[in-house]
Amino acid sequence: MDSASNHDAETEKALNAILTHLNELRGARPTVQIGDGKTDRTRNTIGKILKAAHTVFTQNGHAGLSLRKVADEAGIAVGNLTYHFPTKNSLIDAMMREALADYVEEHLSQFEADRDTPLDILLNVVEFYVRNARESYQFFYQLWGFAGSGEDARDMVRELYRPIGRFIFYLVRAANPKLTDAQVRQAVLQIFSLEEGYKLFIGMGPDSSTAIQSAENDIRVITKRIIQAA
């Protein structure tokens, strides 16, 4: 097999791995897993609980989140909530995994739109991270505050990010199959550090800052340099 054919084969292998991984994550959505075999009413209740938990968490952080507040936000009895999520940690874990699943849907849409251009998929995804942060930065403030609250919380957030890290790993490999595993991991770390930093600083403003206004374009340019220079 010549180098061009080998390059295409490696790219196709990585792209197929991405699709498999994303579809696995889609199926792992808590509203899908917990609601499996349940009535429409029960599935709707689970969805309302997780949406309410996301709202309370974003507004009050993990320390200010209580099962009572979430139940009130969802408009249900506490007992109804604890039937599905008996502890605060189980609720936070499910809420975060549901948020991850929302990201997965966006990843799949980017993948399907640019099936033959792995680099474009990657650039579109990191741009989405930054663009989405303009509305969701407060959630990420609370997420990282939660991660710093204890070892269990840190492990929970690490587990949340691991599937996306794997996704970005495959995308980087597909965008530049010549990279070694070590170089891909280094590129993934750099990309994650950049986009997570953008998420936090976007929320600090001011919105009139030219640097903040150009963040989506900047993350694309820098990510492309990382992939090409790795």
Side-chain angles (χ1 to χ4, degrees), residues 116-146:
D116 296 323
T117 55
L119 180 58
D120 284 340
I121 300 170
L122 175 60
L123 298 181
N124 288 342
V125 165
V126 294
E127 179 184 341
F128 161 71
Y129 289 153
V130 173
R131 185 173 68 250
N132 175 267
R134 295 192 185 279
E135 298 179 355
S136 61
Y137 63 84
Q138 187 64 38
F139 172 79
F140 289 99
Y141 284 166
Q142 303 292 14
L143 177 67
W144 287 111
F146 173 66

Side-chain angles (χ1 to χ4, degrees), residues 197-229:
Y198 271 116
K199 287 176 183 176
L200 301 180
F201 279 99
I202 278 176
M204 298 176 115
D207 292 340
S208 60
S209 166
T210 55
I212 289 178
Q213 289 175 350
S214 65
E216 285 90 342
N217 181 68
D218 291 344
I219 192 70
R220 292 182 71 94
V221 171
I222 299 171
T223 297
K224 188 173 182 179
R225 288 176 183 169
I226 289 171
I227 301 306
Q228 293 173 339

